[in-house]
Amino acid sequence: MTILGTSGLVLNEKLLFEHSKPGRKGYSLPKLDVPAAKLPAELCREEINGFPELSEVDVVRHFTRLSTWNYGVDSGFYPLGSCTMKYNPKVNEAAARLPGLANVHPATPPHLAQGILELMYRLQVALAEVSGFAKVTLQPAAGAQGELTGMLVIRAWHEARGSKRSKVLIPDTAHGTNPATATLAGYDVVPIASQGVLTLEEVEAHMDDDVAALMVTNPNTLGLFETNIEAICKLVHERGGMVYCDGANLNALMGIARPGDMGIDVMHFNLHKTFSTPHGGGGPGAGPVGVTEQLSPYLPAAGVERDGDRYRFEPEKTDSIGRLMTFHGNVGIMVRAFAYARTLGGSGLKHASQMAVLNANYVRARLEGVYDLPYKRRSLHEVIFSDKDLPGGCHTLDVAKRLIDYGYHPPTIYFPLVVKGAIMIEPTETESQDVLDEFCDAMIAIAGEARDNPDLLHQAPVRSRVRRLDETTAARKPKLRWEANP
Amino acid sequence: MRYIPHTAGDVSEMLERIGVKNLEELFVEVPDSVRLKRPLDLPEPLSETELLSELKSLAVKNATPGTHKCFLGGGAYHHFIPTVIDLLVSRGEFYTAYTPYQPEISQGTLQAIFEFQTMICQLTGMEVANASMYDGASACAEAVLMAVRLTRRKRVLLSRALNPRYREVVATYCSYLGLELVEVAVAADGRTDLGDLAAKLDATTAAVVAGYPNYFGVIEDVATLVERAHAAGAKLVTVVSEPVALGVLKSPGELGADIVAGEGQSLGLPLAYGGPYVGFFAVRQKDLRAMPGRLVGETTDLDGQRGFVLTLSTREQHIRREKATSNICSNQGLCALVTTIFMSLLGKQGLREMAEQNLAKAAYARQQLSGAKGFSLVFDGPMFNEFVVRSEAPAAEVLRRLEAEGFLAGIPLGGDYPELADCFLVCVTEQNRREEIDALVTALQGGAA
């Protein structure tokens, strides 16, 4: 087996501030062509203490060197579960940089921004079609903000009916953002202990007159389809509640089944997951939200609507929950997602989901028996193993760190919380069988090392630029900025 | 499909290994009743050439500072962007990575965030900055929520001169948290009215929130706002949506602000019709544990080398769930990187020089306009690069006429401020040459004559 990880020449690099030298410049501005102006002295600051002074070369080398310490999808396999780290198409990057899309001021009057409004409108329509919802807002900046949007919409719907329900049901497999969002929307969270797939009985046991909504993820974070979803939605509706779906795992379902057709009322999309936009080292993403017809009056202000061959912002809606972002959301991300949907078309999106599910099941087939598989139902886009059977005192963390030495980004670990020592693998559709085989060979080799030479795992990684970091001290004595004389 | 590498042979081999007959069997858990029994109704797939041509045809329908002389601000600013930035952030190692959960192979992102946090602290004069928020308005909303957590009070005073969009977002975030949002009037100089503030500030007030500069481009008296807020035991939240101003203005930290929330777009990000931008968020060391968002801290590895990790995550949703300080997960990492590169290129001298140019150009434009027939300036407080113009003719009409002459001359204010129905907001940056400013003044008067 070829090990991808090597210790090739990686350069050290100081902090920006440690390179700084008084008098260096890394910019040029045109000469001032109007008289200089002054503010009253009491408003003005001295120089910005500590700000660096660097040449352009210093800056370019600095960030180029830093980049080499990173691992991205462009570097290699990145099976981070629930994050859908698929390939980020390069043409989408070029699209978002077209001057007529990248340089439009957000206050440009709509009649002078028809191209971008048309793009937003068509993306709303495409997302509605993929998800089966009546209307979509593009405004939320990320999944968590999409969740907040959705939960505020649900709350507004209840309030409009004079209903003061105070609780939200959330299965314990949910992403942490779900309960955090419910709290932000003013709800009390009631966790549901789930046994893999949510049953009607579990929901029924908690579903009373005070429950405003159930938040589900489908497929859930165990990679399993919520097989009872229709009956659950029906029950929640009968008892006056709404069903929110975290759309983080939509990559399993495009063209296969639509959340809107399952009885779900609201769902957010993660364009940076399902629609291939890059994750950017932690954003920017985009978290559009789809809703049923009855909830559409409550959507955030200013969706784009079509009037003949013209596009405009909807007039103000009295029932709207309001605004989530200063302007129209992460439009540059919408451009990339639109380009992706146009490139794949309906058939391509379905094919992507099929291959994503094929890849996850292939990894599962190759690793079952080597690693503990806590849930045996058919997986969709991701598969969860655990460290239960690992010998040599080795744990999930050790496997993850050893994978780094082999040249892979580790899977999501210790999540979902319901699986002790979870190893959550989401290969996505953009990886070939060859890549998956090499990865599985590495996983199998690591299981062998755990038995024969566990120290290799405990010491790992040894080929990365830094070794395991002292997180305890980082948290106990937080050093969160550079100081000249600390 | 060029993004999906599977050959037909691969697929059958993989299906066989899995032990199913066909792709359909992989979806056995999805009940038939919820299956989509038709193809998705989306346009046919496009080749790369067709795609680019379609997008270009959409792109040319939009006005930009390349097609129009642009004097629009109001929370998004047309500034110089050094070429270097886009080339560096286009490195796949940066933009195709995710949140640095595995620090050993994410040191590039982590060190850059540490540098971002440092420079935001230096710029704002604060002690701790987080790894970024979504944008200025959502950062402002998070600042309000943090002030409420710190004071355990429920009343929040928002200056009417704070960007109206920011006030709307605060209202949305606070919809169901039982908070009372109160507006504070604007004085004749365009600053927050201190008399009205005194009347509304009380012992239940959690925070006073004001822009710096405010929506009208006027520089608030932050020191006095701080003094008044603190006297009532409230926090002062300073909102900076034009951080280039901090190249010359005293930092909010120096003036005593408790929380600084802002918009980083001015620092190297393209206008992009409003996003992606980046919110920044800075606080005092003592309030660290109540702060929202991710934080990067310095530490050492097993060999004693310096390294960086995500830290203090017990405040965050993935650990703390419903008790977290915020629900934020993905932030605007790559945009924060853009501003970090921008700030390192401009540096100490550059940000000051850019700020001074904005100040000078806007002052020049104000001076030229002050003598213009049919127009007058509304506020007389100290200003940075924006100002409010009153027109004798209806503002919408004037702006529409100027569009036809190739100007995006300003943002009409009547929708947000009925009392300023005949007014518009003009922004002048270092990107506007003197000839453009002169042309604007001439064109404005062309219709008034």
Side-chain angles (χ1 to χ4, degrees):
Chain A
M1 180 181 49
T2 316
I3 293 178
L4 287 169
T6 77
S7 49
L9 182 65
V10 173
L11 300 177
N12 284 316
E13 176 61 12
K14 299 189 275 195
L15 287 163
L16 278 171
F17 317 99
E18 296 162 344
H19 281 295
S20 178
K21 199 161 191 183
R24 279 211 179 123
K25 278 176 68 167
Y27 74 96
S28 68
L29 287 171
K31 250 204 195 91
L32 187 61
D33 56 3
V34 299
K38 276 227 169 339
L39 284 169
E42 72 270 17
L43 296 178
C44 297
R45 79 189 296 166
E46 302 294 312
E47 63 174 25
I48 304 175
N49 240 331
F51 236 49
E53 293 175 83
L54 301 160
S55 73
E56 186 172 310
V57 188
D58 295 331
V59 173
V60 169
R61 290 229 173 100
H62 176 78
F63 289 101
T64 301
R65 288 180 185 178
L66 292 196
S67 76
T68 63
W69 303 349
N70 262 9
Y71 190 104
V73 175
D74 284 359
S75 318
F77 187 46
Y78 209 126
L80 198 63
S82 256
C83 293
T84 316
M85 300 299 288
K86 61 171 76 176
Y87 171 68
N88 311 127
K90 304 308 157 196
V91 68
N92 301 356
E93 295 303 307
R97 286 167 172 81
L98 289 171
L101 298 175
N103 300 336
V104 188
H105 190 284
T108 304
H111 66 274
L112 294 176
Q114 284 294 298
I116 209 146
L117 289 174
E118 178 179 339
L119 185 150
M120 290 168 73
Y121 176 80
R122 290 171 60 190
L123 181 60
Q124 287 173 187
V125 171
L127 294 178
E129 168 63 10
V130 170
S131 58
F133 289 104
K135 284 206 89 173
V136 170
T137 172
L138 300 174
Q139 198 178 116
Q145 208 187 31
E147 290 177 27
L148 177 62
T149 303
M151 293 310 289
L152 290 177
V153 163
I154 288 175
R155 181 122 195 191
W157 179 84
H158 278 296
E159 304 255 330
R161 269 145 203 80
S163 142
K164 298 279 173 205
R165 296 179 177 227
S166 70
K167 297 188 297 193
V168 170
L169 307 181
I170 303 179
D172 51 11
T173 50
H175 296 116
T177 49
N178 290 187
T181 299
T183 303
L184 192 50
Y187 285 116
D188 296 327
V189 173
V190 181
I192 303 182
S194 67
Q195 313 297 323
V197 168
L198 211 49
T199 65
L200 188 62
E201 293 68 36
E202 285 162 343
V203 178
E204 194 160 22
H206 293 91
M207 189 65 216
D208 60 32
D209 288 353
D210 201 23
V211 172
L214 164 71
M215 291 181 91
V216 295
T217 307
N218 196 15
N220 65 26
T221 60
L222 297 166
L224 308 178
F225 191 84
E226 291 290 356
T227 43
N228 307 308
I229 188 72
E230 274 182 299
I232 289 170
C233 290
K234 192 160 168 278
L235 170 82
V236 173
H237 291 157
E238 278 167 7
R239 306 220 176 149
M242 287 272 160
V243 181
Y244 183 92
C245 180
D246 181 325
N249 296 338
L250 185 65
N251 206 45
L253 296 179
M254 290 185 293
I256 309 285
R258 308 192 306 171
D261 298 339
M262 299 170 194
I264 287 159
D265 301 285
V266 192
M267 182 190 79
H268 79 261
F269 303 79
N270 299 85
L271 298 187
H272 49 293
K273 296 178 181 176
T274 320
F275 286 81
S276 86
T277 75
H279 287 68
V289 172
V291 299
T292 55
E293 192 66 54
Q294 66 166 336
L295 291 180
S296 65
Y298 306 97
L299 281 178
V304 181
E305 64 183 16
R306 182 174 166 173
D307 176 22
D309 59 350
R310 308 295 292 169
Y311 299 87
R312 61 182 185 204
F313 289 111
E314 292 167 340
E316 254 177 63
K317 295 172 290 195
T318 46
D319 292 333
S320 165
I321 60 160
R323 170 176 286 283
L324 275 300
M325 294 284 281
T326 313
F327 299 108
H328 320 299
N330 286 342
V331 177
I333 303 304
M334 298 171 204
V335 174
R336 291 169 173 89
F338 177 79
Y340 179 72
R342 289 298 283 122
T343 300
L344 270 74
S347 55
L349 292 177
K350 181 172 182 179
H351 186 54
S353 284
Q354 287 173 323
M355 293 304 109
V357 172
L358 177 71
N359 278 0
N361 279 285
Y362 184 70
V363 169
R364 170 176 162 163
R366 286 222 42 202
L367 297 181
E368 190 169 0
V370 182
Y371 290 86
D372 169 58
L373 182 75
Y375 293 93
K376 311 285 192 234
R377 301 180 83 125
R378 171 67 59 209
S379 301
L380 282 173
H381 67 298
E382 62 193 357
V383 55
I384 286 78
F385 293 100
S386 90
D387 61 1
K388 192 167 86 117
D389 301 335
L390 271 187
C394 293
H395 299 287
T396 289
L397 185 71
D398 303 308
V399 174
K401 297 305 182 195
R402 186 62 180 151
L403 271 170
I404 293 174
D405 282 336
Y406 276 83
Y408 297 99
H409 193 286
T412 294
I413 54 175
Y414 300 106
F415 184 84
L417 307 176
V418 295
V419 175
K420 194 166 171 293
I423 303 173
M424 184 194 214
I425 300 173
E426 180 181 11
T428 84
E429 72 279 9
T430 58
E431 302 301 331
S432 67
Q433 185 188 13
D434 312 66
V435 169
L436 301 182
D437 277 332
E438 286 165 12
F439 170 77
C440 292
D441 291 345
M443 286 290 286
I444 293 163
I446 290 167
E449 289 173 350
R451 186 184 60 232
D452 302 333
N453 191 357
D455 220 33
L456 284 174
L457 277 73
H458 297 310
Q459 291 300 316
V462 293
R463 294 193 177 101
S464 50
R465 200 195 92 80
V466 293
R467 297 184 59 205
R468 286 195 202 186
L469 290 141
D470 182 353
E471 302 195 18
T472 313
T473 305
R476 280 207 188 128
K477 297 182 185 160
K479 188 176 175 199
L480 306 172
R481 68 185 158 118
W482 174 85
E483 285 176 277
N485 306 298
Chain B
M1 206 309 106
R2 66 190 191 281
Y3 309 148
I4 300 178
H6 302 71
T7 65
D10 294 340
V11 172
S12 24
E13 212 176 288
M14 292 168 82
L15 288 170
E16 193 180 331
R17 177 68 196 245
I18 295 164
V20 294
K21 285 194 278 305
N22 50 42
L23 289 171
E24 199 48 38
E25 261 187 56
L26 293 174
F27 293 91
V28 61
E29 298 272 321
V30 182
D32 188 63
S33 52
V34 300
R35 293 293 192 99
L36 184 67
K37 310 230 169 45
R38 58 169 177 82
L40 285 171
D41 183 17
L42 294 175
E44 284 300 298
L46 296 183
S47 68
E48 183 165 342
T49 308
E50 291 164 318
L51 173 72
L52 282 172
S53 134
E54 179 172 310
L55 285 159
K56 281 176 192 161
S57 73
L58 292 172
V60 296
K61 293 180 186 167
N62 306 311
T64 68
T67 64
H68 287 61
K69 297 179 186 74
C70 179
F71 294 90
L72 303 178
Y77 301 93
H78 177 217
H79 285 300
F80 164 62
I81 300 178
T83 309
V84 160
I85 295 177
D86 196 43
L87 292 169
L88 286 173
V89 300
S90 296
R91 292 187 63 94
E93 299 93 329
F94 280 134
Y95 85 87
T96 72
Y98 204 8
T99 305
Y101 295 122
Q102 296 289 340
E104 297 87 348
I105 47 171
S106 312
Q107 284 298 304
T109 294
L110 286 161
Q111 182 169 326
I113 296 173
F114 184 79
E115 292 168 346
F116 170 78
Q117 291 174 180
T118 302
M119 282 193 278
I120 293 299
C121 287
Q122 293 164 345
L123 192 62
T124 57
M126 301 298 281
E127 290 153 4
V128 187
N130 73 14
S132 80
M133 311 301 285
Y134 304 134
D135 69 356
S138 60
C140 178
E142 293 273 13
V144 165
L145 297 177
M146 178 168 165
V148 167
R149 279 197 295 280
L150 287 172
T151 58
R152 296 165 196 267
R153 296 178 177 182
K154 297 270 184 184
R155 183 176 161 94
V156 177
L157 304 188
L158 302 168
S159 168
R160 184 164 169 79
L162 176 65
N163 185 322
R165 303 290 88 71
Y166 286 38
R167 284 183 277 137
E168 288 172 37
V169 173
V170 169
T172 306
Y173 268 72
C174 298
S175 298
Y176 301 108
L177 301 177
L179 304 183
E180 184 194 2
L181 303 179
V182 180
E183 194 176 276
V184 182
V186 183
D189 60 358
R191 290 173 161 181
T192 304
D193 189 317
L194 295 173
D196 195 45
L197 177 67
K200 289 170 176 165
L201 191 59
D202 63 17
T204 68
T205 304
V208 176
V209 188
Y212 181 64
N214 67 25
Y215 189 61
F216 305 128
V218 178
I219 300 158
E220 294 275 3
D221 179 0
V222 175
T224 302
L225 295 174
V226 166
E227 186 197 307
R228 302 286 161 87
H230 287 181
K235 301 287 173 187
L236 194 280
V237 176
T238 299
V239 178
V240 181
S241 46
E242 171 48 303
V244 168
L246 296 183
V248 289
L249 295 184
K250 271 190 181 154
S251 71
E254 189 181 348
L255 296 168
D258 300 289
I259 304 176
V260 181
E263 170 59 69
Q265 179 271 330
S266 278
L267 307 173
L269 285 157
L271 290 165
Y273 205 48
Y277 294 171
V278 57
F280 57 85
F281 196 98
V283 302
R284 302 284 172 188
Q285 182 77 34
K286 63 180 169 54
D287 298 330
L288 169 62
R289 282 169 206 271
M291 131 179 255
R294 294 210 160 99
L295 287 166
V296 169
E298 185 182 317
T299 186
T300 49
D301 77 354
L302 282 172
D303 296 336
Q305 284 192 90
R306 174 166 68 189
F308 301 89
V309 291
L310 291 174
T311 192
L312 299 172
S313 49
T314 47
R315 300 164 298 111
E316 291 185 66
Q317 48 77 24
H318 61 283
I319 308 287
R320 199 54 163 222
R321 300 176 77 87
E322 67 272 14
K323 295 191 182 65
T325 53
S326 167
N327 72 337
I328 193 166
C329 180
S330 277
N331 48 43
Q332 304 281 113
L334 200 71
C335 302
L337 177 63
V338 165
T339 66
T340 307
I341 301 172
F342 178 92
M343 289 187 279
S344 29
L345 286 166
L346 274 278
K348 206 178 260 186
Q349 297 177 55
L351 201 69
R352 171 173 290 271
E353 190 181 337
M354 188 183 261
E356 286 173 346
Q357 289 210 1
N358 278 258
L359 194 65
K361 301 237 183 187
Y364 175 77
R366 276 202 309 278
Q367 190 232 325
Q368 296 303 105
L369 270 167
S370 64
K373 194 165 173 292
F375 297 92
S376 57
L377 301 175
V378 177
F379 299 117
D380 60 2
M383 291 176 216
F384 182 60
N385 65 358
E386 286 178 279
F387 53 91
V388 176
V389 177
R390 173 167 283 136
S391 145
E392 284 173 12
E397 220 169 80
V398 172
L399 294 173
R400 194 74 183 230
R401 176 171 60 77
L402 262 76
E403 279 164 19
E405 295 180 37
F407 292 89
L408 296 168
I411 299 174
L413 292 173
D416 294 312
Y417 299 93
E419 69 276 24
L420 298 174
D422 47 359
C423 298
F424 53 96
L425 183 66
V426 175
C427 173
V428 188
T429 74
E430 81 291 343
Q431 295 291 80
N432 297 110
R433 286 170 296 108
R434 179 184 191 144
E435 303 85 77
E436 275 187 14
I437 302 170
D438 292 340
L440 173 71
V441 175
T442 308
L444 281 170
Q445 296 183 96

